[in-house]
Amino acid sequence: KQEVTQIPAALSVPEGENLVLNCSFTDSAIYNLQWFRQDPGKGLTSLLLIQSSQREQTSGRLNASLDKSSGRSTLYIAASQPGDSATYLCAVYNQGGKLIFGQGTELSVKP
Amino acid sequence: ETGVTQTPRHLVMGMTNKKSLKCEQHLGHNAMYWYKQSAKKPLELMFVYNFKEQTENNSVPSRFSPECPNSSHLFLHLHTLQPEDSALYLCASSQASGGYNEQFFGPGTRLTVL
C-alpha cells in the first residue's frame, strides 16, 4: 500500500530564506508526482507536476525534484515571502490513477 | 480558476437533513472524483467516475451517495450524516482516470454537521 510522508509537519522561517520541503513515498511505481498549495479553508492550487520520466520541474521561485528509485521528492522555495505561507501537499499518482496525498507541511514565513 | 466549480462553498446541516453537493467541470474531462479532507488527516479518495460509470468506491458509508448524470457534473447526496463527517469535500476532474492524467481540483465545500 502506497504511503506518502512529508517532513517537516510544520516550518517557520524568516522572510528571504531559501527552504526545502521533503516528501517520501513507499512504492516507486508511480506515474506522476504533484505538489499543491492549500491556503486555510481553501481548495488545492497545483504548483508543479513531475512526470515519472522527469527529474525536476521549475516555476518561478519553485523547483521540485523527483528521485523515483529512492522514493523521494523535494520542493525548493527560493527567497521565501510572507505570501508563501500555506500548507504544501505532496501527492503521487499510482497505477490506476489513484492520487495518494501526504499530510502536508504547514509553512509560515515571518516578515 | 481551475475550471472546476463547486457549490455550495459552505454548508451547515443537522444530522437528519438531506443535502447535496454539486461539482461542475468545464474542461471537457471524462473522469471526476470526490475527496474528503478531515482536520489533520490527508485527503482521502471517496469515489471515482469515468465516463459516467463509478469505478471506485473507497469503502464510503452509504449515507454518502454519489451521482454522475454526465461527464461534466458530479453530485454527492448526503443524508443522516454524523458530526464526524464534518470536513472539506473536494471535487476533481481529469481527462480520464488513468495514472498519467493530471487531476484538477475545485475550491471545495466546507461541510459542518451539527
Side-chain angles (χ1 to χ4, degrees):
Chain A
K1 178 185 174 185
Q2 178 75 272
E3 293 183 3
V4 180
T5 303
Q6 292 187 243
I7 295 174
L11 181 64
S12 182
V13 300
E15 182 177 5
E17 272 204 8
N18 302 325
L19 56 100
V20 175
L21 308 182
N22 296 291
C23 172
S24 62
F25 46 96
T26 55
D27 184 352
S28 62
I30 65 170
Y31 283 104
N32 304 319
L33 183 144
Q34 193 164 4
W35 284 92
F36 295 89
R37 169 185 173 142
Q38 185 174 33
D39 292 289
K42 305 292 185 181
L44 305 183
T45 300
S46 177
L47 298 174
L48 292 163
L49 181 143
I50 310 176
Q51 297 177 357
S52 60
S53 59
Q54 298 175 319
R55 296 297 298 258
E56 66 177 337
Q57 280 283 352
T58 298
S59 176
R61 294 183 294 108
L62 305 180
N63 176 276
S65 67
L66 173 62
D67 185 342
K68 272 185 60 176
S69 60
S70 66
R72 295 179 184 176
S73 176
T74 61
L75 178 66
Y76 175 83
I77 302 177
S80 58
Q81 303 171 358
D84 295 331
S85 298
T87 296
Y88 290 80
L89 298 170
C90 168
V92 299
Y93 288 77
N94 269 6
Q95 296 183 14
K98 286 190 178 182
L99 193 54
I100 311 298
F101 284 85
Q103 286 194 280
T105 293
E106 188 173 348
L107 173 65
S108 176
V109 181
K110 304 296 186 183
Chain B
E1 292 293 328
T2 63
V4 181
T5 59
Q6 290 187 243
T7 55
R9 296 293 305 276
H10 301 272
L11 178 62
V12 179
M13 60 186 290
M15 294 169 61
T16 58
N17 291 158
K18 289 184 179 181
K19 296 287 185 183
S20 296
L21 310 184
K22 179 183 176 182
C23 175
E24 183 173 0
Q25 57 95 2
H26 308 274
L27 301 169
H29 289 166
N30 297 300
M32 297 189 77
Y33 311 77
W34 279 117
Y35 288 86
K36 176 183 178 182
Q37 187 179 33
S38 303
K40 306 299 182 184
K41 292 178 67 177
L43 271 83
E44 303 172 73
L45 178 66
M46 300 175 72
F47 301 103
V48 180
Y49 278 81
N50 197 33
F51 292 92
K52 302 189 298 179
E53 297 296 321
Q54 186 181 119
T55 57
E56 183 86 25
N57 177 338
N58 199 22
S59 302
V60 180
S62 60
R63 58 186 183 270
F64 295 91
S65 176
E67 178 189 4
C68 187
N70 54 61
S71 293
S72 299
H73 294 85
L74 183 65
F75 295 89
L76 188 62
H77 304 300
L78 315 171
H79 62 97
T80 59
L81 294 191
Q82 305 298 312
E84 59 264 30
D85 296 322
S86 298
L88 181 67
Y89 289 85
L90 291 163
C91 172
S93 72
S94 64
Q95 186 60 47
S97 62
Y100 286 106
N101 294 281
E102 182 180 359
Q103 294 180 26
F104 295 80
F105 284 79
T109 295
R110 172 69 61 185
L111 174 66
T112 302
V113 182
L114 301 176

